[in-house]
């Protein structure tokens, strides 16, 4: 293959290398800049959070985390994520199935509408629920009279979180389902599989990594959401504060150790989520087969 | 045969359980109150709640838990109107409780007559907090309009404290200019030109000034300024008492519609009445609120210097008038404040 370029390889040992590699100085400068930015905007701030949290020692740190109000905030955040993520998956699978497999009028509109929770500000998302379900609105007033509390209670927080996260799984699944196509499913049905069997044995394995990635994204957003949740929370201490809201309150109460201890916990949860995402990402992106693909990945890496 | 035995067992279990439940409820009720309050009262009500719960248990045997929610006074009133179930509201100014009465009809419009002293158990005033050494030489309201002085105050639209701040400055300018409203208007306009950021609540403004280091002077509740000095060290900040300020009156009320639904009317009323007792007044003074009780006032006299104070009813015609004139849509504040200018 390289015989054609023989004239080139006379002057340089490896023509491919010279064509793709930058001079060492440029390479060094690029790496240094990237590291500097990472350090300034990521490592130092994250380290500062942990330093603040531990400034009065591990004892104070643990004490602020097992405080009843802190525990209530942690519990509410985990519960919200535990409800939002499965519902997100359900919606994501349904929506992506509908969009990838069927043609129906309004499909493009649906695709656009799915993105609305992404494109509106979370504050507006929260306000929407207050307008709809607040005691002064017809629906909210009726629920209130019947003893059902949504706004300024846990259900409101869960609702707002579901709203701001619901495109996440669908957005991941739609392109994958479209790319995979429906041939395998058709084959399964021709071979006598039922609808549910086809879904479990053929469709789900094909999209599972994309689905998991969507769950990871949804989980990260659900735990970190501030704006929408702040509007519907009512900020009742020990009841309707999620971790991000609790952090703000502790900070404003001059309880810096508590604020940063819970921040560090939230950061750890986020890091765990990111590590999960990292591993899943490697599975989702098809592993290059051989030859030219391999070289490209090496260069990119 | 088997079935009847099973039923018998079930009945026995149910009886035992209901007995247990009855016993426990005969012993002590568990009551929960929600106190929706304004920004700087977090520490005050933490202390009040602990003491009141203790007293109430001693008196009635019932466990009472008081939940707290804090934020800008106007914002909190808005949340109560939208359905936040406050048994009691303890807000920054009467106008915000009036709004709850007017807009949502959750309590009668004469609510302020139901408790002593116009339903205001503690007083406060508005002071100036500066960095130690007073580098910009700020001694009175006049110094806030000087070019190059950066002033921190929250947004009067959402914060009760900010409205008291605004009125104190306005009252000073009016007195100084012999009642000339146009000149007072120029003064307040110049003052807000020196404000780089409007936080939504008093605590947010304190954090901006104290923690983020923005601004040369913070216009603040006296209690908030004293609290900031306590938290951050007496040597970091100084309190400047201006030549004249305003008597800030943060009122309290129980919310009838909510307490009657929760069955908490008695305990809510007792909770607010506790604030007027010597013990309640003492807790107020310890948390830097000016007490009403003469004995407690005398005890804490050195903490609260006397200064000439304007009053909302005497000098501004009450909150309803002041609200419409200064802070309503198209009012004085809307006219003088253009963000970013």
């Amino acid at each position: 293959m390289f015989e054609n370029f023989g004239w080139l390889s006379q002057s340089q040992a490896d023509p491919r290398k010279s064509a793709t590699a930058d001079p060492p100085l440029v390479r060094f400068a690029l790496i240094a800049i990237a590291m500097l930015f990472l350090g300034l905007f990521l490592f130092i701030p994250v380290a500062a959070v942990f330093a603040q949290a531990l400034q009065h020692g591990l004892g104070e740190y643990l004490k602020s985390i097992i405080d009843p109000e802190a525990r209530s905030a942690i519990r509410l955040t985990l519960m919200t994520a535990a409800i939002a993520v499965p519902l997100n998956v359900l919606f994501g699978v349904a929506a992506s199935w509908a969009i990838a497999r069927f043609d129906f009028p309004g499909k493009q509109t649906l695709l656009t509408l799915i993105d609305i929770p992404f494109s509106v500000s979370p504050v507006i998302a929260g306000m929407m629920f207050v307008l709809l379900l607040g005691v002064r609105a017809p629906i909210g007033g009726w629920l209130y009279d019947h003893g059902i509390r949504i706004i300024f209670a846990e259900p409101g927080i869960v609702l707002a979180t579901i709203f701001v996260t619901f495109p996440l799984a669908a957005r991941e699944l739609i392109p994958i389902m479209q790319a995979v196509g429906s041939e395998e499913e058709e084959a399964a049905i021709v071979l006598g599989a039922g609808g549910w069997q086809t879904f479990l044995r053929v469709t789900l394995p094909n999209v599972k990594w994309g689905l998991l990635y969507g769950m990871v994204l949804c989980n990260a957003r659900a735990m970190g959401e501030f704006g929408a949740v702040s509007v519907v929370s009512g900020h009742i201490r020990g009841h309707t504060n999620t971790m991000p809201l609790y952090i703000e309150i502790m900070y404003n109460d001059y309880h810096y150790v508590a604020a940063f201890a819970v921040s560090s916990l939230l950061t750890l949860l986020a890091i765990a989520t990111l590590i999960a995402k990292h591993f899943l990402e490697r599975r989702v992106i098809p592993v290059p087969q051989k030859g030219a693909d391999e070289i490209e990945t090496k260069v990119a890496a | 045969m088997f079935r009847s035995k099973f039923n018998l067992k079930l009945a026995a279990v149910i009886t035992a359980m209901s007995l247990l439940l009855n016993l426990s409820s005969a012993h002590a009720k568990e009551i929960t109150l929600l106190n929706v309050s304004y920004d700087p009262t977090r520490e005050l009500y933490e202390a009040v709640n602990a003491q009141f719960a203790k007293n109430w248990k001693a008196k009635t045997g019932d466990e009472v838990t008081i939940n707290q929610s804090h934020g800008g006074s106007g914002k909190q009133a808005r949340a109560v109107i939208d359905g936040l179930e406050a048994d009691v509201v303890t807000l920054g100014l009467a106008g915000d409780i009036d709004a709850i009465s007017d807009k949502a009809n959750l309590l009668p419009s004469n609510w302020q007559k139901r408790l002593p002293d116009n339903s205001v158990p503690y007083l406060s005033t508005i002071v100036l907090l500066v960095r130690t050494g007073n580098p910009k030489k700020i001694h009175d309201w006049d110094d806030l309009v000087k070019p190059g002085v950066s002033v921190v105050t929250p947004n009067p639209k959402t914060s009760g404290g900010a409205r008291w701040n605004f009125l104190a400055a306005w009252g000073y300018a009016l007195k100084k200019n012999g009642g000339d409203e146009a000149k007072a208007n120029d003064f307040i306009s110049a003052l807000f030109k020196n404000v780089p950021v409007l936080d939504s609540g008093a605590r947010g403004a304190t954090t901006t000034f104290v923690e983020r280091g923005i601004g040369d002077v913070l216009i603040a509740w006296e209690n908030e300024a004293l609290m900031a000095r306590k938290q951050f060290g007496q040597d970091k900040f100084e309190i400047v008492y201006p030549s004249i300020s305003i008597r800030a009156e943060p009122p309290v009320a129980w919310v009838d519609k909510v307490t009657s639904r929760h069955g908490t009317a008695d305990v809510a009323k007792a909770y607010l009445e506790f604030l007027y007792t010597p013990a309640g007044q003492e807790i107020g003074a310890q948390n830097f609120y000016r007490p009403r009780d003469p004995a407690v006032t005398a005890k804490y006299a050195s903490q609260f210097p006397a200064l000439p104070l304007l009053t909302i009813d005497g000098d501004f015609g009450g909150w309803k008038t002041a609200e419409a004139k200064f802070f309503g849509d198209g009012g004085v504040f809307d006219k003088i404040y253009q963000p970013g200018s």
Side-chain angles (χ1 to χ4, degrees), chain B residues 160-183:
Chain B
R163 274 175 264 184
W164 292 112
N165 294 350
F166 185 102
L167 292 181
W170 176 273
Y172 165 83
L174 207 58
K175 278 240 150 71
K176 193 189 162 203
N177 292 301
D180 186 339
E181 293 227 336
K183 285 201 173 132

PDB file of all heavy atoms in Angstrom, chain B residues 160-183:
ATOM      1  N   GLY B 160     -38.979  42.666  52.390  1.00  0.00           N
ATOM      2  CA  GLY B 160     -39.566  43.604  53.334  1.00  0.00           C
ATOM      3  C   GLY B 160     -38.512  44.559  53.876  1.00  0.00           C
ATOM      4  O   GLY B 160     -38.725  45.769  53.953  1.00  0.00           O
ATOM      5  N   GLY B 161     -37.347  44.011  54.227  1.00  0.00           N
ATOM      6  CA  GLY B 161     -36.260  44.818  54.757  1.00  0.00           C
ATOM      7  C   GLY B 161     -35.900  45.950  53.810  1.00  0.00           C
ATOM      8  O   GLY B 161     -35.668  47.091  54.221  1.00  0.00           O
ATOM      9  N   ALA B 162     -35.880  45.623  52.514  1.00  0.00           N
ATOM     10  CA  ALA B 162     -35.503  46.624  51.519  1.00  0.00           C
ATOM     11  C   ALA B 162     -36.495  47.777  51.495  1.00  0.00           C
ATOM     12  O   ALA B 162     -36.128  48.920  51.237  1.00  0.00           O
ATOM     13  CB  ALA B 162     -35.419  45.979  50.140  1.00  0.00           C
ATOM     14  N   ARG B 163     -37.771  47.466  51.790  1.00  0.00           N
ATOM     15  CA  ARG B 163     -38.763  48.540  51.795  1.00  0.00           C
ATOM     16  C   ARG B 163     -38.548  49.468  52.992  1.00  0.00           C
ATOM     17  O   ARG B 163     -38.675  50.681  52.869  1.00  0.00           O
ATOM     18  CB  ARG B 163     -40.178  47.961  51.778  1.00  0.00           C
ATOM     19  CG  ARG B 163     -40.622  47.683  50.346  1.00  0.00           C
ATOM     20  CD  ARG B 163     -41.957  46.998  50.283  1.00  0.00           C
ATOM     21  NE  ARG B 163     -41.749  45.553  50.168  1.00  0.00           N
ATOM     22  CZ  ARG B 163     -42.731  44.686  50.018  1.00  0.00           C
ATOM     23  NH1 ARG B 163     -43.969  45.089  49.988  1.00  0.00           N
ATOM     24  NH2 ARG B 163     -42.461  43.404  49.893  1.00  0.00           N
ATOM     25  N   TRP B 164     -38.197  48.868  54.137  1.00  0.00           N
ATOM     26  CA  TRP B 164     -37.861  49.710  55.289  1.00  0.00           C
ATOM     27  C   TRP B 164     -36.618  50.551  54.961  1.00  0.00           C
ATOM     28  O   TRP B 164     -36.552  51.733  55.295  1.00  0.00           O
ATOM     29  CB  TRP B 164     -37.584  48.859  56.527  1.00  0.00           C
ATOM     30  CG  TRP B 164     -38.779  48.133  57.089  1.00  0.00           C
ATOM     31  CD1 TRP B 164     -38.981  46.790  57.089  1.00  0.00           C
ATOM     32  CD2 TRP B 164     -39.916  48.696  57.750  1.00  0.00           C
ATOM     33  NE1 TRP B 164     -40.158  46.478  57.704  1.00  0.00           N
ATOM     34  CE2 TRP B 164     -40.773  47.624  58.129  1.00  0.00           C
ATOM     35  CE3 TRP B 164     -40.295  50.004  58.062  1.00  0.00           C
ATOM     36  CZ2 TRP B 164     -41.973  47.822  58.805  1.00  0.00           C
ATOM     37  CZ3 TRP B 164     -41.500  50.190  58.734  1.00  0.00           C
ATOM     38  CH2 TRP B 164     -42.320  49.116  59.101  1.00  0.00           C
ATOM     39  N   ASN B 165     -35.623  49.933  54.308  1.00  0.00           N
ATOM     40  CA  ASN B 165     -34.410  50.663  53.922  1.00  0.00           C
ATOM     41  C   ASN B 165     -34.773  51.888  53.084  1.00  0.00           C
ATOM     42  O   ASN B 165     -34.301  53.005  53.326  1.00  0.00           O
ATOM     43  CB  ASN B 165     -33.488  49.782  53.072  1.00  0.00           C
ATOM     44  CG  ASN B 165     -32.917  48.603  53.835  1.00  0.00           C
ATOM     45  OD1 ASN B 165     -33.065  48.531  55.057  1.00  0.00           O
ATOM     46  ND2 ASN B 165     -32.274  47.689  53.137  1.00  0.00           N
ATOM     47  N   PHE B 166     -35.605  51.618  52.088  1.00  0.00           N
ATOM     48  CA  PHE B 166     -36.004  52.658  51.150  1.00  0.00           C
ATOM     49  C   PHE B 166     -36.691  53.805  51.893  1.00  0.00           C
ATOM     50  O   PHE B 166     -36.367  54.982  51.709  1.00  0.00           O
ATOM     51  CB  PHE B 166     -36.948  52.031  50.117  1.00  0.00           C
ATOM     52  CG  PHE B 166     -37.363  52.945  49.001  1.00  0.00           C
ATOM     53  CD1 PHE B 166     -36.769  52.847  47.755  1.00  0.00           C
ATOM     54  CD2 PHE B 166     -38.360  53.904  49.191  1.00  0.00           C
ATOM     55  CE1 PHE B 166     -37.154  53.674  46.711  1.00  0.00           C
ATOM     56  CE2 PHE B 166     -38.749  54.733  48.151  1.00  0.00           C
ATOM     57  CZ  PHE B 166     -38.151  54.626  46.912  1.00  0.00           C
ATOM     58  N   LEU B 167     -37.638  53.449  52.773  1.00  0.00           N
ATOM     59  CA  LEU B 167     -38.408  54.479  53.466  1.00  0.00           C
ATOM     60  C   LEU B 167     -37.530  55.270  54.442  1.00  0.00           C
ATOM     61  O   LEU B 167     -37.720  56.479  54.612  1.00  0.00           O
ATOM     62  CB  LEU B 167     -39.600  53.859  54.197  1.00  0.00           C
ATOM     63  CG  LEU B 167     -40.693  53.299  53.282  1.00  0.00           C
ATOM     64  CD1 LEU B 167     -41.834  52.722  54.109  1.00  0.00           C
ATOM     65  CD2 LEU B 167     -41.218  54.362  52.322  1.00  0.00           C
ATOM     66  N   ALA B 168     -36.579  54.605  55.089  1.00  0.00           N
ATOM     67  CA  ALA B 168     -35.686  55.310  56.014  1.00  0.00           C
ATOM     68  C   ALA B 168     -34.899  56.371  55.249  1.00  0.00           C
ATOM     69  O   ALA B 168     -34.798  57.535  55.681  1.00  0.00           O
ATOM     70  CB  ALA B 168     -34.741  54.321  56.687  1.00  0.00           C
ATOM     71  N   ALA B 169     -34.356  55.984  54.080  1.00  0.00           N
ATOM     72  CA  ALA B 169     -33.566  56.923  53.281  1.00  0.00           C
ATOM     73  C   ALA B 169     -34.456  58.062  52.776  1.00  0.00           C
ATOM     74  O   ALA B 169     -34.076  59.240  52.810  1.00  0.00           O
ATOM     75  CB  ALA B 169     -32.918  56.187  52.105  1.00  0.00           C
ATOM     76  N   TRP B 170     -35.645  57.712  52.330  1.00  0.00           N
ATOM     77  CA  TRP B 170     -36.594  58.713  51.826  1.00  0.00           C
ATOM     78  C   TRP B 170     -36.970  59.701  52.936  1.00  0.00           C
ATOM     79  O   TRP B 170     -36.974  60.920  52.735  1.00  0.00           O
ATOM     80  CB  TRP B 170     -37.841  58.003  51.303  1.00  0.00           C
ATOM     81  CG  TRP B 170     -38.926  58.912  50.837  1.00  0.00           C
ATOM     82  CD1 TRP B 170     -39.915  59.458  51.607  1.00  0.00           C
ATOM     83  CD2 TRP B 170     -39.129  59.398  49.501  1.00  0.00           C
ATOM     84  NE1 TRP B 170     -40.734  60.248  50.834  1.00  0.00           N
ATOM     85  CE2 TRP B 170     -40.280  60.237  49.533  1.00  0.00           C
ATOM     86  CE3 TRP B 170     -38.469  59.220  48.291  1.00  0.00           C
ATOM     87  CZ2 TRP B 170     -40.765  60.879  48.405  1.00  0.00           C
ATOM     88  CZ3 TRP B 170     -38.971  59.857  47.165  1.00  0.00           C
ATOM     89  CH2 TRP B 170     -40.103  60.682  47.221  1.00  0.00           C
ATOM     90  N   GLY B 171     -37.255  59.156  54.118  1.00  0.00           N
ATOM     91  CA  GLY B 171     -37.641  59.999  55.244  1.00  0.00           C
ATOM     92  C   GLY B 171     -36.530  60.976  55.615  1.00  0.00           C
ATOM     93  O   GLY B 171     -36.789  62.151  55.895  1.00  0.00           O
ATOM     94  N   TYR B 172     -35.302  60.487  55.579  1.00  0.00           N
ATOM     95  CA  TYR B 172     -34.157  61.358  55.870  1.00  0.00           C
ATOM     96  C   TYR B 172     -34.100  62.504  54.866  1.00  0.00           C
ATOM     97  O   TYR B 172     -33.971  63.685  55.239  1.00  0.00           O
ATOM     98  CB  TYR B 172     -32.861  60.542  55.816  1.00  0.00           C
ATOM     99  CG  TYR B 172     -31.620  61.393  55.750  1.00  0.00           C
ATOM    100  CD1 TYR B 172     -31.070  61.919  56.919  1.00  0.00           C
ATOM    101  CD2 TYR B 172     -31.012  61.703  54.534  1.00  0.00           C
ATOM    102  CE1 TYR B 172     -29.948  62.734  56.864  1.00  0.00           C
ATOM    103  CE2 TYR B 172     -29.897  62.510  54.471  1.00  0.00           C
ATOM    104  CZ  TYR B 172     -29.365  63.025  55.633  1.00  0.00           C
ATOM    105  OH  TYR B 172     -28.259  63.830  55.574  1.00  0.00           O
ATOM    106  N   ALA B 173     -34.205  62.156  53.577  1.00  0.00           N
ATOM    107  CA  ALA B 173     -34.083  63.166  52.528  1.00  0.00           C
ATOM    108  C   ALA B 173     -35.206  64.192  52.629  1.00  0.00           C
ATOM    109  O   ALA B 173     -34.994  65.394  52.429  1.00  0.00           O
ATOM    110  CB  ALA B 173     -34.087  62.493  51.155  1.00  0.00           C
ATOM    111  N   LEU B 174     -36.387  63.706  52.966  1.00  0.00           N
ATOM    112  CA  LEU B 174     -37.544  64.598  53.065  1.00  0.00           C
ATOM    113  C   LEU B 174     -37.348  65.598  54.207  1.00  0.00           C
ATOM    114  O   LEU B 174     -37.593  66.796  54.048  1.00  0.00           O
ATOM    115  CB  LEU B 174     -38.795  63.752  53.306  1.00  0.00           C
ATOM    116  CG  LEU B 174     -40.129  64.329  52.835  1.00  0.00           C
ATOM    117  CD1 LEU B 174     -40.087  64.622  51.342  1.00  0.00           C
ATOM    118  CD2 LEU B 174     -41.256  63.341  53.136  1.00  0.00           C
ATOM    119  N   LYS B 175     -36.890  65.086  55.356  1.00  0.00           N
ATOM    120  CA  LYS B 175     -36.647  65.958  56.512  1.00  0.00           C
ATOM    121  C   LYS B 175     -35.583  66.993  56.189  1.00  0.00           C
ATOM    122  O   LYS B 175     -35.703  68.163  56.515  1.00  0.00           O
ATOM    123  CB  LYS B 175     -36.180  65.117  57.718  1.00  0.00           C
ATOM    124  CG  LYS B 175     -37.320  64.474  58.474  1.00  0.00           C
ATOM    125  CD  LYS B 175     -37.360  64.936  59.937  1.00  0.00           C
ATOM    126  CE  LYS B 175     -38.774  64.943  60.474  1.00  0.00           C
ATOM    127  NZ  LYS B 175     -39.390  63.655  60.704  1.00  0.00           N
ATOM    128  N   LYS B 176     -34.527  66.539  55.540  1.00  0.00           N
ATOM    129  CA  LYS B 176     -33.384  67.411  55.267  1.00  0.00           C
ATOM    130  C   LYS B 176     -33.776  68.534  54.310  1.00  0.00           C
ATOM    131  O   LYS B 176     -33.272  69.652  54.404  1.00  0.00           O
ATOM    132  CB  LYS B 176     -32.260  66.580  54.666  1.00  0.00           C
ATOM    133  CG  LYS B 176     -30.922  67.311  54.639  1.00  0.00           C
ATOM    134  CD  LYS B 176     -29.903  66.548  53.838  1.00  0.00           C
ATOM    135  CE  LYS B 176     -28.772  67.476  53.454  1.00  0.00           C
ATOM    136  NZ  LYS B 176     -28.079  66.974  52.277  1.00  0.00           N
ATOM    137  N   ASN B 177     -34.660  68.217  53.365  1.00  0.00           N
ATOM    138  CA  ASN B 177     -35.037  69.200  52.362  1.00  0.00           C
ATOM    139  C   ASN B 177     -36.356  69.894  52.690  1.00  0.00           C
ATOM    140  O   ASN B 177     -37.033  70.407  51.800  1.00  0.00           O
ATOM    141  CB  ASN B 177     -35.127  68.536  50.989  1.00  0.00           C
ATOM    142  CG  ASN B 177     -33.763  68.098  50.506  1.00  0.00           C
ATOM    143  OD1 ASN B 177     -32.858  68.921  50.374  1.00  0.00           O
ATOM    144  ND2 ASN B 177     -33.598  66.807  50.283  1.00  0.00           N
ATOM    145  N   GLY B 178     -36.726  69.866  53.961  1.00  0.00           N
ATOM    146  CA  GLY B 178     -37.926  70.585  54.383  1.00  0.00           C
ATOM    147  C   GLY B 178     -39.193  70.088  53.717  1.00  0.00           C
ATOM    148  O   GLY B 178     -40.071  70.886  53.381  1.00  0.00           O
ATOM    149  N   GLY B 179     -39.278  68.794  53.452  1.00  0.00           N
ATOM    150  CA  GLY B 179     -40.515  68.226  52.910  1.00  0.00           C
ATOM    151  C   GLY B 179     -40.637  68.319  51.397  1.00  0.00           C
ATOM    152  O   GLY B 179     -41.704  68.057  50.846  1.00  0.00           O
ATOM    153  N   ASP B 180     -39.562  68.669  50.716  1.00  0.00           N
ATOM    154  CA  ASP B 180     -39.604  68.780  49.256  1.00  0.00           C
ATOM    155  C   ASP B 180     -39.476  67.389  48.618  1.00  0.00           C
ATOM    156  O   ASP B 180     -38.402  66.796  48.592  1.00  0.00           O
ATOM    157  CB  ASP B 180     -38.452  69.685  48.797  1.00  0.00           C
ATOM    158  CG  ASP B 180     -38.521  69.976  47.300  1.00  0.00           C
ATOM    159  OD1 ASP B 180     -39.177  69.195  46.576  1.00  0.00           O
ATOM    160  OD2 ASP B 180     -37.914  70.976  46.873  1.00  0.00           O
ATOM    161  N   GLU B 181     -40.607  66.884  48.100  1.00  0.00           N
ATOM    162  CA  GLU B 181     -40.615  65.520  47.560  1.00  0.00           C
ATOM    163  C   GLU B 181     -39.741  65.358  46.321  1.00  0.00           C
ATOM    164  O   GLU B 181     -39.155  64.295  46.098  1.00  0.00           O
ATOM    165  CB  GLU B 181     -42.053  65.094  47.228  1.00  0.00           C
ATOM    166  CG  GLU B 181     -42.925  64.936  48.459  1.00  0.00           C
ATOM    167  CD  GLU B 181     -43.720  63.636  48.439  1.00  0.00           C
ATOM    168  OE1 GLU B 181     -43.951  63.099  47.352  1.00  0.00           O
ATOM    169  OE2 GLU B 181     -44.084  63.165  49.536  1.00  0.00           O
ATOM    170  N   ALA B 182     -39.654  66.413  45.512  1.00  0.00           N
ATOM    171  CA  ALA B 182     -38.839  66.332  44.292  1.00  0.00           C
ATOM    172  C   ALA B 182     -37.379  66.113  44.667  1.00  0.00           C
ATOM    173  O   ALA B 182     -36.666  65.324  44.039  1.00  0.00           O
ATOM    174  CB  ALA B 182     -38.994  67.600  43.463  1.00  0.00           C
ATOM    175  N   LYS B 183     -36.940  66.791  45.739  1.00  0.00           N
ATOM    176  CA  LYS B 183     -35.544  66.644  46.173  1.00  0.00           C
ATOM    177  C   LYS B 183     -35.306  65.266  46.778  1.00  0.00           C
ATOM    178  O   LYS B 183     -34.252  64.661  46.574  1.00  0.00           O
ATOM    179  CB  LYS B 183     -35.185  67.752  47.160  1.00  0.00           C
ATOM    180  CG  LYS B 183     -34.984  69.081  46.451  1.00  0.00           C
ATOM    181  CD  LYS B 183     -34.163  70.051  47.273  1.00  0.00           C
ATOM    182  CE  LYS B 183     -33.837  71.292  46.452  1.00  0.00           C
ATOM    183  NZ  LYS B 183     -34.117  72.530  47.201  1.00  0.00           N
TER     184      LYS B 183
END
